[in-house]
Amino acid sequence: MRRILPIFALLLPTMAIAAPGPSEIVAHAPDAAWADVPADRLLVMTLGDGTRIPIELAPQFAPAHTGNIIRLARAHRWDGGAIIRVQDDYVVQWAPHDEKANLPTGFIAHPPAEYDRPRQGIAVRPLGFSDPYAPAAGFAAGWPVGMDQDRVWLAHCYGMIGVARDMPPDTGDGQELYAVNGEAPRQLDRNLALVGRVLTGMDHLGALPRGTGALGFYANNARKVAIRTITLATDLPLGQQPHLQVMRTDSPAFAAYLDARANRTDPFYVHPARGVALCNVPVPTRAKP
Amino acid sequence: MRRILPIFALLLPTMAIAAPGPSEIVAHAPDAAWADVPADRLLVMTLGDGTRIPIELAPQFAPAHTGNIIRLARAHRWDGGAIIRVQDDYVVQWAPHDEKANLPTGFIAHPPAEYDRPRQGIAVRPLGFSDPYAPAAGFAAGWPVGMDQDRVWLAHCYGMIGVARDMPPDTGDGQELYAVNGEAPRQLDRNLALVGRVLTGMDHLGALPRGTGALGFYANNARKVAIRTITLATDLPLGQQPHLQVMRTDSPAFAAYLDARANRTDPFYVHPARGVALCNVPVPTRAKP
């Protein structure tokens, strides 16, 4: 076993000096590598215990669904709602208190199945490694995606948010949403509308108690996690709006970060994989300096 | 968007009848598709709140490390220990109360870096889809693995357990162990010794509060999760030994399950991926009937 190690061990001191690790690349990325998350596509979910979870929407991929979601937030439809389902290694799901109540003006009861979109009009940086779920994978406008020659679609990575639906593919209207909380369930790609991602706070959502009912639904209503509010950031007082940035996936810093994730040369590593899965390259986020 | 749907929608009723989903395949797998987990490679971790977490060891891949771990368990070294680190989307890590105390007879202070093993002597079922981390991926003797022509190694999938170490590659002696609690950190493959997996109870370990210190270590000692005992199953009274089975990865049932995970034809799916990642094919476990 050890016979494979000396080569790497000998290389390590050089590599450690030559190539910074992913965290260092992110920490030292220039301001030009970061893009503000605009307040009009930023939701703030506040849980019963006061935890604030900022969510970025992806209107480039699901305009009808994100339109519905913005209308729902502005109408305070989730205030008093709850997290109703936590299935281990799968999803956290939430819903309004009453899904049948009057829906806001402009709400689309049966939005189209926004499961992918044309490649035209959106620039893509290829991952550069094979993807078992799609002909190719990469990053488009800051988001992890699968793609073929004509279409591009958001990928079910950790923290991505989608629209729950029943069996017919057009029944998800955006009232019930889920966030991925485990190994990327990429089999769901192109089968549900992904609409955004949790920017910070997965450490909280990921640690919620798992539901004991079928599919991780909370069998006991008392276990449900209360949602105080979900608000569009533009509707918050200026002082309460989060100011967050996401790394531009078309930046040189992101290219370096992606390369470092695939070729770990920080000193801990004796055997860099020389490859990486799409969802193991989380797009960096930071507070706006 | 909808234009891609009718083809699949039309196919669905036929497919739903023709091909059962992964859960149905597992539920109906014959007894011959299951292998008992022998008590002499089965640990039972009991947490402070009484939760029992059975852990299967993988001596085929890491004989020196699993030998150490069995000696530590038989010497009650983890009794009164704690989970000291929970890093979101990465690992849960535990340790004995005192790592410097007398170590059991036969304990190897510096085991070899058991990061891979020869392919010879272990049968492998290929995954059948590309893997970004290894020349090929598959399942060997019930375990998810990466491989090249000569070597085979365990993969860092959800619930897999490894030996924490410091910078030099041989410093992990098996006292501090970690379990993967998020998106598979496969960059760690061949960089740490994997020694087993959590058979049931990841729903509990996965929901532990994340540590607020650097790397998810619990900054506050009071937050640490107490470990009452970690015991080799053979040292438990017969009535307290878990009787668990893992699906044989060389069985026809597993082949059908793998195929169904990659080609989701249950009625919910409108667009089967026709591919799947290694770690998104968790090897099924059940109580022995």
Side-chain angles (χ1 to χ4, degrees):
Chain A
M1 192 73 50
R2 275 159 176 274
R3 71 181 184 275
I4 66 161
L5 291 179
I7 300 164
F8 293 103
L10 287 171
L11 286 175
L12 278 176
T14 319
M15 292 159 78
I17 294 162
S23 309
E24 292 168 86
I25 292 167
V26 172
H28 296 107
D31 286 347
W34 299 91
D36 292 350
V37 178
D40 63 0
R41 64 171 78 160
L42 179 60
L43 300 179
V44 180
M45 172 193 270
T46 305
L47 299 181
D49 66 3
T51 303
R52 276 162 53 105
I53 296 172
I55 290 169
E56 181 185 10
L57 297 175
Q60 316 94 311
F61 290 88
H65 285 90
T66 53
N68 270 4
I69 288 165
I70 288 170
R71 286 185 187 91
L72 291 165
R74 303 202 81 168
H76 305 283
R77 286 288 304 219
W78 284 293
D79 301 7
I83 292 170
I84 57 172
R85 174 191 186 192
V86 182
Q87 184 170 356
D88 189 57
D89 193 23
Y90 199 47
V91 294
V92 174
Q93 187 170 326
W94 58 92
H97 175 65
D98 177 4
E99 291 186 38
K100 308 286 186 218
N102 284 336
L103 289 159
T105 308
F107 186 83
I108 303 168
H110 297 285
E114 295 172 321
Y115 299 161
D116 54 17
R117 57 153 283 161
R119 278 187 70 154
Q120 201 171 14
I122 197 160
V124 175
R125 174 190 296 282
L127 176 66
F129 304 101
S130 67
D131 183 80
Y133 294 97
F139 299 88
W143 299 89
V145 295
M147 55 192 158
D148 60 20
Q149 284 198 314
D150 304 317
R151 314 287 296 178
V152 58
W153 53 89
L154 292 174
H156 276 81
C157 298
Y158 194 80
M160 289 290 288
I161 292 176
V163 174
R165 66 165 171 87
D166 295 325
M167 204 61 85
D170 68 346
T171 51
D173 63 8
Q175 296 198 76
E176 288 203 24
L177 300 174
Y178 62 89
V180 171
N181 74 348
E183 172 68 21
R186 299 270 318 274
Q187 72 277 13
L188 300 177
D189 293 3
R190 303 184 96 181
N191 287 288
L192 290 142
L194 287 167
V195 292
R197 63 181 152 206
V198 173
L199 290 174
T200 66
M202 273 309 298
D203 57 337
H204 190 90
L205 290 183
L208 292 175
R210 281 42 178 159
T212 54
L215 303 175
F217 281 91
Y218 284 128
N220 181 346
N221 274 335
R223 295 296 297 275
K224 289 181 182 171
V225 177
I227 294 175
R228 198 182 291 172
T229 56
I230 298 182
T231 311
L232 190 68
T234 54
D235 288 342
L236 290 170
L238 266 179
Q240 290 179 28
Q241 293 180 14
H243 297 286
L244 296 166
Q245 294 183 313
V246 171
M247 188 176 270
R248 294 180 62 108
T249 52
D250 59 357
S251 66
F254 186 80
Y257 164 75
L258 169 54
D259 181 68
R261 294 284 300 181
N263 301 288
R264 296 299 292 254
T265 52
D266 9 350
F268 185 82
Y269 289 83
V270 292
H271 195 127
R274 309 288 178 210
V276 69
L278 174 66
C279 291
N280 204 358
V281 187
V283 180
T285 299
R286 71 172 187 180
K288 187 173 179 174
Chain B
M1 193 69 54
R2 275 160 177 274
R3 70 180 185 275
I4 66 161
L5 292 178
I7 300 163
F8 293 103
L10 287 171
L11 286 175
L12 278 175
T14 320
M15 292 161 77
I17 293 163
S23 309
E24 292 168 84
I25 292 167
V26 172
H28 296 108
D31 285 347
W34 299 90
D36 293 350
V37 179
D40 63 0
R41 63 172 79 161
L42 179 62
L43 299 179
V44 180
M45 173 193 270
T46 305
L47 299 180
D49 66 2
T51 304
R52 276 162 52 104
I53 296 172
I55 290 170
E56 182 185 9
L57 297 175
Q60 315 96 311
F61 290 88
H65 285 91
T66 54
N68 270 4
I69 289 166
I70 287 170
R71 286 184 187 93
L72 292 165
R74 302 202 82 168
H76 305 284
R77 285 288 305 218
W78 284 292
D79 301 7
I83 292 171
I84 57 172
R85 174 191 187 191
V86 182
Q87 185 170 355
D88 190 56
D89 194 23
Y90 199 46
V91 294
V92 174
Q93 186 170 327
W94 57 93
H97 174 65
D98 177 5
E99 293 186 38
K100 308 284 186 216
N102 284 337
L103 289 160
T105 307
F107 185 83
I108 303 168
H110 297 285
E114 295 171 320
Y115 300 161
D116 54 18
R117 56 153 283 161
R119 278 188 68 156
Q120 200 170 16
I122 197 159
V124 175
R125 174 190 295 283
L127 175 67
F129 304 101
S130 67
D131 183 80
Y133 295 95
F139 299 88
W143 299 88
V145 295
M147 55 191 157
D148 60 20
Q149 284 198 314
D150 304 317
R151 314 287 298 177
V152 57
W153 53 89
L154 292 173
H156 276 81
C157 298
Y158 193 82
M160 289 290 287
I161 292 175
V163 174
R165 66 165 170 87
D166 294 325
M167 204 61 84
D170 69 345
T171 52
D173 62 9
Q175 296 198 75
E176 288 204 25
L177 301 174
Y178 62 88
V180 171
N181 74 349
E183 172 68 19
R186 298 267 321 271
Q187 72 276 13
L188 299 177
D189 293 3
R190 304 183 96 182
N191 287 287
L192 290 143
L194 287 166
V195 291
R197 63 182 152 205
V198 173
L199 291 174
T200 66
M202 274 308 299
D203 56 337
H204 190 90
L205 290 184
L208 292 176
R210 280 44 177 157
T212 54
L215 303 176
F217 281 90
Y218 284 129
N220 181 346
N221 274 333
R223 294 295 297 275
K224 289 181 182 170
V225 177
I227 294 175
R228 197 181 293 172
T229 58
I230 298 181
T231 311
L232 190 68
T234 53
D235 288 341
L236 290 170
L238 267 180
Q240 289 180 29
Q241 293 180 14
H243 297 286
L244 295 167
Q245 295 182 314
V246 171
M247 188 175 271
R248 295 180 61 108
T249 52
D250 59 357
S251 66
F254 186 80
Y257 164 75
L258 169 55
D259 182 69
R261 294 286 297 184
N263 300 287
R264 296 300 291 256
T265 53
D266 9 349
F268 185 82
Y269 289 82
V270 293
H271 195 125
R274 310 287 177 210
V276 69
L278 175 66
C279 291
N280 203 359
V281 187
V283 179
T285 300
R286 70 173 187 179
K288 186 173 180 173

